Amino acid sequence: MSSGGAEGPAPPGPEAAVPGSAPPPRQWPLWEVFVRAKRGLSHHHVGSLHAPDAEMALRNARDVYTRRQEGVSIWVVPAAAIVASSPDEKDPFFDPAGDKVYRHPTFYELPEGVRHL
Amino acid sequence: MPADTGIEGRDQAPSEVRVAGEVEELERRFQELVDADQRIEPRDWMPEGYRRTLIRQIAQHAHSEIIGMQPEGNWITRAPSLKRKAILLAKVQDEGGHGIYLYSAAETLGVSRDELVDLLHSGRQKYSSIFNYPTLTWADVGAIGWLVDGAAITNQIPLCRCSYGPYGRAMVRICKEESFHQRQGYDILYTLARGTPRQREMAQDAVNRWWWPSLMMFGPPDEASQHSAQSMAWGIKRHSNDELRQRFVDVTVPQAEVLGLSLPDPEIRWNEDRGHYDFGPIDWDELRRVVSGDGPCNRQRMAHKVAAHENGRWVREAALAYEAKLEAGYKRGARASGRAA
């Protein structure tokens, strides 16, 4: 497991201080944007953007991702707050589900003549 | 600023300490995914060359969207009606949005926005040379929408299936929005072509000037294209430059006929045997000149971009300072209420 954004790279690490020079200005943090397209649907990830704070992230998300009425609700989440599973295929994270085909109804053979089951 | 290697770089040991054969195994699995038409996602292992190629291509694409706001922005205050002005404003805003989708996609590869902006401003990354041509009349706004955005769409539709997930997803959004751009351009030219003789002449002049640069947007001819073969193998590119150029000519020639405007190439004619339109040779020297900095507007475009970025610096810094102040106030408030309780 590692944190650092659903899709994004980890947030920039501490800048190396150069003696005698002002620290470089910090970049606006990265936010992941989720949009509910219409009532009855869940929020979906649509992309990301930079903003100085949550309120601006929300306003920017409206301008960047819903210029054509693509949503009725927006979530913005600091990318750094997202914890993601490792993408490595060798990772046994998802293996436990692999041998449990009996979780699917199609695993079971129904006797002849059984209906509504 | 040092290159941020992103999550990939943090999660995995550098390749030189990998046991022998492991990189080959990772490369084999990567290529299998690409060959199976699966998508590569940001935190998957990928060859360094793939990452570098994508960063270069997506960043250049993002820069083009942002610089592309300038030639059209030039006409916002002089649009011929309030309706045309509102439409052009919306279109230029879309271009800014496209730049942001693409910068976000590039950032998933472990490069920061600041680095990308810096690479553009210092001339180490480029933008599409089409935006180094000036917009001399209102008809140019029409020609850009019809021809330049038309060429862009032809290029971009196959990119929706690019092997890199975030780039493909950004392209899907962009392609949807570009259709509006192309139609608004065509609408402008269609109106002018049916206007006064002077307006018609203006429309024809704009088409004459934008036609050849639009064909150059597809890049050098296949035999001179450096990156094509590798990009095809990686599933970044799906069609060759010449194929896409031909596709664009084939759909555009009949559209010009409906406009009643001519294309500035006497060699355009339908070739029954090929099932395509033939067209005349492209002046590649002109493309080389413009790419290497000697187009009509290169210096102006960059100067304007850098100035806008520098003039906005205090706003970016003030926004961060304000956020820090709110945060500090919030913490003080939390401590105060903690004591009270």
Side-chain angles (χ1 to χ4, degrees), chain A residues 14-74:
Chain A
E15 308 284 354
V18 180
S21 73
R26 196 159 60 89
Q27 198 173 207
W28 283 359
L30 188 66
W31 301 77
E32 299 295 338
V33 181
F34 300 80
V35 169
R36 182 199 299 288
K38 57 180 187 180
R39 289 176 179 281
L41 298 179
S42 56
H43 287 74
H44 272 241
H45 183 246
V46 292
S48 55
L49 50 75
H50 290 275
D53 58 46
E55 194 189 332
M56 286 306 296
L58 212 45
R59 283 169 183 269
N60 291 353
R62 178 200 60 187
D63 291 345
V64 175
Y65 292 106
T66 62
R67 286 194 302 282
R68 288 171 175 77
Q69 298 182 295
E70 289 97 334
V72 295
S73 163
I74 300 176

Short mmCIF file of all heavy atoms in Angstrom, two decimals, chain A residues 14-74:
data_model
loop_
_atom_site.label_atom_id
_atom_site.label_comp_id
_atom_site.label_asym_id
_atom_site.label_seq_id
_atom_site.Cartn_x
_atom_site.Cartn_y
_atom_site.Cartn_z
N PRO A 14 10.01 17.37 0.41
CA PRO A 14 10.55 18.65 0.89
C PRO A 14 11.63 19.14 -0.08
O PRO A 14 12.45 18.37 -0.54
CB PRO A 14 11.13 18.29 2.25
CG PRO A 14 11.14 16.81 2.34
CD PRO A 14 10.22 16.26 1.32
N GLU A 15 11.54 20.40 -0.42
CA GLU A 15 12.51 20.96 -1.37
C GLU A 15 13.87 21.03 -0.69
O GLU A 15 13.98 21.40 0.47
CB GLU A 15 12.09 22.37 -1.78
CG GLU A 15 10.67 22.48 -2.29
CD GLU A 15 10.53 21.94 -3.69
OE1 GLU A 15 11.56 21.60 -4.31
OE2 GLU A 15 9.39 21.87 -4.18
N ALA A 16 14.88 20.71 -1.43
CA ALA A 16 16.23 20.84 -0.89
C ALA A 16 16.55 22.33 -0.76
O ALA A 16 16.42 23.09 -1.71
CB ALA A 16 17.23 20.17 -1.82
N ALA A 17 16.92 22.74 0.43
CA ALA A 17 17.21 24.16 0.64
C ALA A 17 18.59 24.50 0.09
O ALA A 17 19.56 23.81 0.36
CB ALA A 17 17.16 24.48 2.12
N VAL A 18 18.64 25.51 -0.76
CA VAL A 18 19.93 25.97 -1.27
C VAL A 18 20.40 27.08 -0.35
O VAL A 18 19.68 28.05 -0.16
CB VAL A 18 19.79 26.49 -2.71
CG1 VAL A 18 21.14 26.96 -3.24
CG2 VAL A 18 19.18 25.44 -3.61
N PRO A 19 21.60 26.93 0.25
CA PRO A 19 22.04 27.96 1.18
C PRO A 19 22.08 29.34 0.51
O PRO A 19 22.52 29.45 -0.63
CB PRO A 19 23.46 27.51 1.57
CG PRO A 19 23.55 26.08 1.15
CD PRO A 19 22.58 25.88 0.05
N GLY A 20 21.61 30.33 1.19
CA GLY A 20 21.71 31.69 0.68
C GLY A 20 20.61 32.07 -0.29
O GLY A 20 20.60 33.20 -0.77
N SER A 21 19.70 31.15 -0.64
CA SER A 21 18.63 31.52 -1.57
C SER A 21 17.28 31.28 -0.91
O SER A 21 17.15 30.43 -0.03
CB SER A 21 18.75 30.72 -2.86
OG SER A 21 18.35 29.39 -2.61
N ALA A 22 16.29 32.03 -1.35
CA ALA A 22 14.95 31.85 -0.80
C ALA A 22 14.44 30.49 -1.24
O ALA A 22 14.76 30.04 -2.34
CB ALA A 22 14.04 32.96 -1.32
N PRO A 23 13.66 29.82 -0.39
CA PRO A 23 13.11 28.53 -0.81
C PRO A 23 12.21 28.73 -2.02
O PRO A 23 11.50 29.74 -2.09
CB PRO A 23 12.32 28.06 0.41
CG PRO A 23 12.05 29.28 1.21
CD PRO A 23 13.17 30.24 0.92
N PRO A 24 12.23 27.79 -2.98
CA PRO A 24 11.37 27.95 -4.15
C PRO A 24 9.91 27.93 -3.71
O PRO A 24 9.59 27.26 -2.72
CB PRO A 24 11.71 26.73 -5.02
CG PRO A 24 12.39 25.76 -4.11
CD PRO A 24 12.99 26.54 -2.99
N PRO A 25 9.03 28.68 -4.38
CA PRO A 25 7.64 28.73 -3.94
C PRO A 25 7.00 27.35 -4.03
O PRO A 25 7.28 26.60 -4.95
CB PRO A 25 6.99 29.70 -4.94
CG PRO A 25 7.91 29.74 -6.11
CD PRO A 25 9.27 29.42 -5.60
N ARG A 26 6.19 27.05 -3.05
CA ARG A 26 5.52 25.76 -3.02
C ARG A 26 4.48 25.73 -4.15
O ARG A 26 3.86 26.74 -4.48
CB ARG A 26 4.83 25.61 -1.67
CG ARG A 26 4.40 24.23 -1.31
CD ARG A 26 4.23 24.11 0.22
NE ARG A 26 3.22 25.05 0.73
CZ ARG A 26 1.92 24.76 0.83
NH1 ARG A 26 1.46 23.60 0.43
NH2 ARG A 26 1.06 25.64 1.33
N GLN A 27 4.32 24.56 -4.74
CA GLN A 27 3.31 24.39 -5.79
C GLN A 27 1.94 24.24 -5.13
O GLN A 27 1.84 23.71 -4.03
CB GLN A 27 3.66 23.13 -6.58
CG GLN A 27 3.00 23.06 -7.92
CD GLN A 27 3.49 21.89 -8.77
OE1 GLN A 27 3.44 21.96 -9.96
NE2 GLN A 27 3.95 20.81 -8.16
N TRP A 28 0.89 24.71 -5.79
CA TRP A 28 -0.45 24.46 -5.27
C TRP A 28 -0.66 22.95 -5.19
O TRP A 28 -0.30 22.23 -6.12
CB TRP A 28 -1.50 25.05 -6.22
CG TRP A 28 -1.67 26.53 -6.11
CD1 TRP A 28 -1.01 27.39 -5.28
CD2 TRP A 28 -2.56 27.33 -6.90
NE1 TRP A 28 -1.45 28.67 -5.49
CE2 TRP A 28 -2.40 28.66 -6.48
CE3 TRP A 28 -3.48 27.05 -7.90
CZ2 TRP A 28 -3.13 29.71 -7.03
CZ3 TRP A 28 -4.21 28.09 -8.45
CH2 TRP A 28 -4.03 29.42 -8.01
N PRO A 29 -1.27 22.47 -4.09
CA PRO A 29 -1.44 21.01 -3.97
C PRO A 29 -2.37 20.43 -5.04
O PRO A 29 -3.16 21.14 -5.66
CB PRO A 29 -2.04 20.83 -2.57
CG PRO A 29 -2.33 22.16 -2.03
CD PRO A 29 -1.75 23.20 -2.92
N LEU A 30 -2.23 19.12 -5.22
CA LEU A 30 -3.02 18.39 -6.23
C LEU A 30 -4.30 17.85 -5.58
O LEU A 30 -4.26 17.33 -4.47
CB LEU A 30 -2.17 17.24 -6.76
CG LEU A 30 -2.70 16.44 -7.95
CD1 LEU A 30 -2.76 17.31 -9.21
CD2 LEU A 30 -1.85 15.21 -8.20
N TRP A 31 -5.40 17.97 -6.29
CA TRP A 31 -6.70 17.46 -5.80
C TRP A 31 -7.26 16.50 -6.84
O TRP A 31 -7.15 16.77 -8.04
CB TRP A 31 -7.70 18.63 -5.62
CG TRP A 31 -7.23 19.66 -4.66
CD1 TRP A 31 -6.30 20.62 -4.89
CD2 TRP A 31 -7.66 19.85 -3.30
NE1 TRP A 31 -6.11 21.39 -3.77
CE2 TRP A 31 -6.94 20.94 -2.78
CE3 TRP A 31 -8.59 19.20 -2.49
CZ2 TRP A 31 -7.12 21.40 -1.47
CZ3 TRP A 31 -8.76 19.66 -1.19
CH2 TRP A 31 -8.03 20.74 -0.68
N GLU A 32 -7.86 15.42 -6.37
CA GLU A 32 -8.56 14.52 -7.28
C GLU A 32 -10.04 14.92 -7.29
O GLU A 32 -10.61 15.26 -6.26
CB GLU A 32 -8.42 13.06 -6.83
CG GLU A 32 -6.97 12.56 -6.80
CD GLU A 32 -6.31 12.50 -8.17
OE1 GLU A 32 -7.03 12.43 -9.19
OE2 GLU A 32 -5.06 12.54 -8.23
N VAL A 33 -10.65 14.88 -8.48
CA VAL A 33 -12.01 15.38 -8.64
C VAL A 33 -12.96 14.22 -8.97
O VAL A 33 -12.68 13.40 -9.85
CB VAL A 33 -12.07 16.43 -9.77
CG1 VAL A 33 -13.48 16.98 -9.91
CG2 VAL A 33 -11.07 17.56 -9.49
N PHE A 34 -14.08 14.18 -8.26
CA PHE A 34 -15.11 13.15 -8.47
C PHE A 34 -16.43 13.87 -8.76
O PHE A 34 -16.80 14.79 -8.05
CB PHE A 34 -15.26 12.28 -7.23
CG PHE A 34 -13.99 11.56 -6.84
CD1 PHE A 34 -12.97 12.21 -6.14
CD2 PHE A 34 -13.80 10.22 -7.19
CE1 PHE A 34 -11.81 11.55 -5.79
CE2 PHE A 34 -12.64 9.56 -6.84
CZ PHE A 34 -11.64 10.21 -6.14
N VAL A 35 -17.13 13.42 -9.80
CA VAL A 35 -18.37 14.09 -10.21
C VAL A 35 -19.53 13.10 -10.22
O VAL A 35 -19.40 11.99 -10.74
CB VAL A 35 -18.19 14.74 -11.60
CG1 VAL A 35 -19.53 15.21 -12.15
CG2 VAL A 35 -17.21 15.90 -11.53
N ARG A 36 -20.65 13.52 -9.64
CA ARG A 36 -21.90 12.75 -9.77
C ARG A 36 -22.61 13.29 -11.01
O ARG A 36 -23.00 14.46 -11.06
CB ARG A 36 -22.78 12.96 -8.53
CG ARG A 36 -24.07 12.15 -8.56
CD ARG A 36 -25.15 12.67 -7.61
NE ARG A 36 -24.81 12.67 -6.18
CZ ARG A 36 -24.72 11.57 -5.43
NH1 ARG A 36 -24.92 10.39 -5.95
NH2 ARG A 36 -24.42 11.68 -4.15
N ALA A 37 -22.76 12.45 -12.02
CA ALA A 37 -23.30 12.92 -13.30
C ALA A 37 -24.76 13.31 -13.18
O ALA A 37 -25.21 14.30 -13.74
CB ALA A 37 -23.12 11.85 -14.37
N LYS A 38 -25.53 12.49 -12.44
CA LYS A 38 -26.92 12.85 -12.17
C LYS A 38 -27.39 12.12 -10.93
O LYS A 38 -26.75 11.17 -10.47
CB LYS A 38 -27.81 12.55 -13.37
CG LYS A 38 -27.79 11.10 -13.82
CD LYS A 38 -28.72 10.93 -15.02
CE LYS A 38 -28.83 9.44 -15.36
NZ LYS A 38 -29.70 9.18 -16.49
N ARG A 39 -28.53 12.55 -10.42
CA ARG A 39 -29.07 11.91 -9.22
C ARG A 39 -29.25 10.42 -9.46
O ARG A 39 -29.65 10.01 -10.54
CB ARG A 39 -30.44 12.51 -8.87
CG ARG A 39 -30.32 13.91 -8.36
CD ARG A 39 -31.66 14.56 -8.11
NE ARG A 39 -31.44 15.90 -7.58
CZ ARG A 39 -31.12 16.13 -6.30
NH1 ARG A 39 -31.05 15.13 -5.44
NH2 ARG A 39 -30.90 17.35 -5.88
N GLY A 40 -28.92 9.63 -8.45
CA GLY A 40 -29.06 8.18 -8.59
C GLY A 40 -27.77 7.50 -8.97
O GLY A 40 -27.67 6.28 -8.88
N LEU A 41 -26.77 8.25 -9.41
CA LEU A 41 -25.47 7.67 -9.76
C LEU A 41 -24.45 8.04 -8.69
O LEU A 41 -24.60 9.06 -8.01
CB LEU A 41 -24.99 8.18 -11.12
CG LEU A 41 -25.86 7.84 -12.33
CD1 LEU A 41 -25.27 8.44 -13.59
CD2 LEU A 41 -25.99 6.32 -12.48
N SER A 42 -23.41 7.21 -8.57
CA SER A 42 -22.37 7.54 -7.60
C SER A 42 -21.38 8.51 -8.23
O SER A 42 -21.37 8.72 -9.44
CB SER A 42 -21.66 6.27 -7.16
OG SER A 42 -21.15 5.59 -8.28
N HIS A 43 -20.52 9.12 -7.40
CA HIS A 43 -19.49 10.01 -7.93
C HIS A 43 -18.43 9.18 -8.65
O HIS A 43 -18.08 8.09 -8.21
CB HIS A 43 -18.82 10.77 -6.78
CG HIS A 43 -19.68 11.85 -6.18
ND1 HIS A 43 -20.76 11.57 -5.38
CD2 HIS A 43 -19.62 13.20 -6.30
CE1 HIS A 43 -21.33 12.71 -5.01
NE2 HIS A 43 -20.66 13.72 -5.54
N HIS A 44 -17.96 9.70 -9.77
CA HIS A 44 -16.90 9.02 -10.51
C HIS A 44 -15.67 9.91 -10.62
O HIS A 44 -15.80 11.14 -10.76
CB HIS A 44 -17.38 8.69 -11.94
CG HIS A 44 -18.07 7.37 -12.00
ND1 HIS A 44 -17.62 6.33 -12.77
CD2 HIS A 44 -19.17 6.92 -11.37
CE1 HIS A 44 -18.41 5.29 -12.60
NE2 HIS A 44 -19.38 5.63 -11.78
N HIS A 45 -14.51 9.28 -10.61
CA HIS A 45 -13.27 10.05 -10.76
C HIS A 45 -13.21 10.61 -12.18
O HIS A 45 -13.41 9.88 -13.15
CB HIS A 45 -12.07 9.14 -10.51
CG HIS A 45 -10.78 9.87 -10.58
ND1 HIS A 45 -9.85 9.63 -11.56
CD2 HIS A 45 -10.28 10.86 -9.81
CE1 HIS A 45 -8.81 10.43 -11.37
NE2 HIS A 45 -9.05 11.19 -10.31
N VAL A 46 -12.97 11.92 -12.31
CA VAL A 46 -12.90 12.50 -13.65
C VAL A 46 -11.53 13.09 -13.97
O VAL A 46 -11.21 13.35 -15.13
CB VAL A 46 -13.96 13.61 -13.87
CG1 VAL A 46 -15.36 13.00 -13.87
CG2 VAL A 46 -13.84 14.71 -12.82
N GLY A 47 -10.70 13.32 -12.96
CA GLY A 47 -9.39 13.89 -13.24
C GLY A 47 -8.87 14.60 -12.01
O GLY A 47 -9.35 14.38 -10.89
N SER A 48 -7.89 15.46 -12.22
CA SER A 48 -7.31 16.15 -11.08
C SER A 48 -6.98 17.59 -11.45
O SER A 48 -7.06 17.98 -12.62
CB SER A 48 -6.05 15.41 -10.61
OG SER A 48 -5.16 15.25 -11.68
N LEU A 49 -6.64 18.37 -10.46
CA LEU A 49 -6.25 19.76 -10.70
C LEU A 49 -5.48 20.30 -9.49
O LEU A 49 -5.47 19.67 -8.43
CB LEU A 49 -7.48 20.63 -10.99
CG LEU A 49 -8.67 20.57 -10.04
CD1 LEU A 49 -8.42 21.31 -8.74
CD2 LEU A 49 -9.89 21.17 -10.73
N HIS A 50 -4.85 21.43 -9.69
CA HIS A 50 -4.15 22.09 -8.59
C HIS A 50 -4.99 23.24 -8.06
O HIS A 50 -5.62 23.96 -8.85
CB HIS A 50 -2.81 22.66 -9.07
CG HIS A 50 -1.81 21.60 -9.39
ND1 HIS A 50 -1.00 21.04 -8.43
CD2 HIS A 50 -1.50 20.97 -10.55
CE1 HIS A 50 -0.22 20.13 -8.99
NE2 HIS A 50 -0.50 20.06 -10.28
N ALA A 51 -5.00 23.42 -6.76
CA ALA A 51 -5.70 24.57 -6.15
C ALA A 51 -5.08 24.83 -4.80
O ALA A 51 -4.59 23.89 -4.15
CB ALA A 51 -7.19 24.27 -6.03
N PRO A 52 -5.11 26.08 -4.35
CA PRO A 52 -4.48 26.40 -3.06
C PRO A 52 -5.26 25.85 -1.87
O PRO A 52 -4.65 25.53 -0.84
CB PRO A 52 -4.46 27.93 -3.05
CG PRO A 52 -5.53 28.35 -3.99
CD PRO A 52 -5.60 27.29 -5.04
N ASP A 53 -6.57 25.78 -1.97
CA ASP A 53 -7.35 25.27 -0.84
C ASP A 53 -8.61 24.57 -1.35
O ASP A 53 -8.90 24.57 -2.54
CB ASP A 53 -7.71 26.41 0.13
CG ASP A 53 -8.49 27.53 -0.55
OD1 ASP A 53 -9.44 27.21 -1.29
OD2 ASP A 53 -8.14 28.71 -0.37
N ALA A 54 -9.37 23.98 -0.40
CA ALA A 54 -10.52 23.15 -0.78
C ALA A 54 -11.57 23.95 -1.53
O ALA A 54 -12.15 23.48 -2.52
CB ALA A 54 -11.12 22.52 0.48
N GLU A 55 -11.82 25.18 -1.08
CA GLU A 55 -12.87 25.96 -1.71
C GLU A 55 -12.51 26.29 -3.16
O GLU A 55 -13.35 26.17 -4.07
CB GLU A 55 -13.08 27.25 -0.91
CG GLU A 55 -14.36 27.97 -1.28
CD GLU A 55 -14.44 29.35 -0.63
OE1 GLU A 55 -13.85 29.55 0.44
OE2 GLU A 55 -15.10 30.22 -1.23
N MET A 56 -11.25 26.67 -3.37
CA MET A 56 -10.81 26.96 -4.74
C MET A 56 -10.78 25.70 -5.59
O MET A 56 -11.06 25.72 -6.78
CB MET A 56 -9.43 27.63 -4.74
CG MET A 56 -9.43 29.08 -4.29
SD MET A 56 -10.59 30.12 -5.21
CE MET A 56 -9.88 30.03 -6.85
N ALA A 57 -10.43 24.57 -4.95
CA ALA A 57 -10.41 23.30 -5.69
C ALA A 57 -11.81 23.00 -6.23
O ALA A 57 -11.98 22.57 -7.37
CB ALA A 57 -9.92 22.17 -4.79
N LEU A 58 -12.81 23.26 -5.39
CA LEU A 58 -14.20 23.00 -5.80
C LEU A 58 -14.61 23.92 -6.95
O LEU A 58 -15.22 23.50 -7.93
CB LEU A 58 -15.09 23.22 -4.57
CG LEU A 58 -16.35 22.39 -4.41
CD1 LEU A 58 -16.11 20.92 -4.69
CD2 LEU A 58 -16.89 22.57 -2.99
N ARG A 59 -14.26 25.19 -6.83
CA ARG A 59 -14.61 26.15 -7.89
C ARG A 59 -13.88 25.81 -9.19
O ARG A 59 -14.47 25.85 -10.27
CB ARG A 59 -14.26 27.57 -7.47
CG ARG A 59 -15.27 28.15 -6.50
CD ARG A 59 -14.76 29.44 -5.89
NE ARG A 59 -15.72 29.92 -4.92
CZ ARG A 59 -16.71 30.76 -5.22
NH1 ARG A 59 -16.88 31.19 -6.44
NH2 ARG A 59 -17.56 31.14 -4.28
N ASN A 60 -12.58 25.50 -9.06
CA ASN A 60 -11.83 25.15 -10.26
C ASN A 60 -12.38 23.88 -10.90
O ASN A 60 -12.46 23.77 -12.13
CB ASN A 60 -10.34 24.96 -9.94
CG ASN A 60 -9.66 26.27 -9.58
OD1 ASN A 60 -10.26 27.34 -9.70
ND2 ASN A 60 -8.42 26.20 -9.14
N ALA A 61 -12.78 22.92 -10.04
CA ALA A 61 -13.32 21.67 -10.56
C ALA A 61 -14.59 21.93 -11.35
O ALA A 61 -14.82 21.34 -12.41
CB ALA A 61 -13.59 20.69 -9.42
N ARG A 62 -15.40 22.85 -10.86
CA ARG A 62 -16.62 23.20 -11.60
C ARG A 62 -16.26 23.74 -12.98
O ARG A 62 -16.84 23.36 -13.99
CB ARG A 62 -17.41 24.26 -10.82
CG ARG A 62 -18.66 24.71 -11.53
CD ARG A 62 -19.15 26.05 -11.02
NE ARG A 62 -18.14 27.09 -11.21
CZ ARG A 62 -18.25 28.34 -10.72
NH1 ARG A 62 -19.29 28.66 -10.00
NH2 ARG A 62 -17.30 29.22 -10.95
N ASP A 63 -15.26 24.64 -13.02
CA ASP A 63 -14.91 25.26 -14.30
C ASP A 63 -14.20 24.29 -15.25
O ASP A 63 -14.34 24.38 -16.46
CB ASP A 63 -13.99 26.47 -14.06
CG ASP A 63 -14.74 27.61 -13.39
OD1 ASP A 63 -15.99 27.56 -13.38
OD2 ASP A 63 -14.08 28.53 -12.88
N VAL A 64 -13.40 23.38 -14.66
CA VAL A 64 -12.61 22.49 -15.52
C VAL A 64 -13.42 21.27 -15.97
O VAL A 64 -13.34 20.85 -17.11
CB VAL A 64 -11.31 22.04 -14.81
CG1 VAL A 64 -10.55 21.03 -15.67
CG2 VAL A 64 -10.42 23.25 -14.53
N TYR A 65 -14.24 20.72 -15.06
CA TYR A 65 -14.85 19.42 -15.37
C TYR A 65 -16.37 19.45 -15.58
O TYR A 65 -16.95 18.42 -15.90
CB TYR A 65 -14.48 18.40 -14.28
CG TYR A 65 -13.00 18.06 -14.33
CD1 TYR A 65 -12.11 18.54 -13.37
CD2 TYR A 65 -12.49 17.28 -15.37
CE1 TYR A 65 -10.75 18.24 -13.43
CE2 TYR A 65 -11.14 16.98 -15.44
CZ TYR A 65 -10.28 17.47 -14.47
OH TYR A 65 -8.94 17.17 -14.55
N THR A 66 -17.02 20.59 -15.38
CA THR A 66 -18.48 20.60 -15.60
C THR A 66 -18.91 21.80 -16.43
O THR A 66 -19.95 22.41 -16.15
CB THR A 66 -19.27 20.57 -14.26
OG1 THR A 66 -18.95 21.76 -13.50
CG2 THR A 66 -18.92 19.37 -13.42
N ARG A 67 -18.14 22.15 -17.46
CA ARG A 67 -18.54 23.29 -18.30
C ARG A 67 -19.78 22.99 -19.14
O ARG A 67 -20.40 23.88 -19.69
CB ARG A 67 -17.39 23.69 -19.24
CG ARG A 67 -16.25 24.41 -18.58
CD ARG A 67 -15.33 25.08 -19.60
NE ARG A 67 -14.78 24.13 -20.54
CZ ARG A 67 -13.76 23.33 -20.27
NH1 ARG A 67 -13.20 23.34 -19.08
NH2 ARG A 67 -13.31 22.48 -21.18
N ARG A 68 -20.10 21.70 -19.29
CA ARG A 68 -21.26 21.33 -20.10
C ARG A 68 -22.29 20.56 -19.28
O ARG A 68 -22.87 19.59 -19.74
CB ARG A 68 -20.81 20.51 -21.31
CG ARG A 68 -20.10 21.36 -22.35
CD ARG A 68 -19.47 20.53 -23.43
NE ARG A 68 -18.90 21.35 -24.48
CZ ARG A 68 -17.74 22.00 -24.38
NH1 ARG A 68 -17.05 21.93 -23.26
NH2 ARG A 68 -17.29 22.71 -25.39
N GLN A 69 -22.49 20.99 -18.07
CA GLN A 69 -23.47 20.38 -17.17
C GLN A 69 -23.24 18.88 -16.99
O GLN A 69 -24.18 18.10 -16.99
CB GLN A 69 -24.89 20.62 -17.70
CG GLN A 69 -25.24 22.09 -17.78
CD GLN A 69 -26.65 22.31 -18.25
OE1 GLN A 69 -26.99 21.98 -19.40
NE2 GLN A 69 -27.49 22.85 -17.41
N GLU A 70 -21.96 18.50 -16.84
CA GLU A 70 -21.66 17.08 -16.68
C GLU A 70 -21.94 16.58 -15.27
O GLU A 70 -21.76 15.39 -15.00
CB GLU A 70 -20.18 16.81 -16.99
CG GLU A 70 -19.80 16.93 -18.45
CD GLU A 70 -19.22 18.28 -18.79
OE1 GLU A 70 -19.53 19.27 -18.08
OE2 GLU A 70 -18.46 18.37 -19.78
N GLY A 71 -22.33 17.45 -14.36
CA GLY A 71 -22.52 16.97 -13.00
C GLY A 71 -23.52 17.75 -12.19
O GLY A 71 -23.87 18.88 -12.53
N VAL A 72 -24.01 17.08 -11.10
CA VAL A 72 -24.89 17.77 -10.15
C VAL A 72 -24.24 17.86 -8.78
O VAL A 72 -24.78 18.46 -7.87
CB VAL A 72 -26.26 17.07 -10.04
CG1 VAL A 72 -27.01 17.15 -11.36
CG2 VAL A 72 -26.10 15.61 -9.62
N SER A 73 -23.07 17.25 -8.64
CA SER A 73 -22.36 17.28 -7.36
C SER A 73 -20.88 16.97 -7.60
O SER A 73 -20.55 16.15 -8.47
CB SER A 73 -22.98 16.23 -6.42
OG SER A 73 -22.10 15.96 -5.34
N ILE A 74 -20.01 17.65 -6.87
CA ILE A 74 -18.57 17.44 -7.04
C ILE A 74 -17.94 17.15 -5.69
O ILE A 74 -18.27 17.78 -4.69
CB ILE A 74 -17.90 18.70 -7.64
CG1 ILE A 74 -18.49 19.05 -9.01
CG2 ILE A 74 -16.38 18.51 -7.77
CD1 ILE A 74 -17.92 20.35 -9.59
#
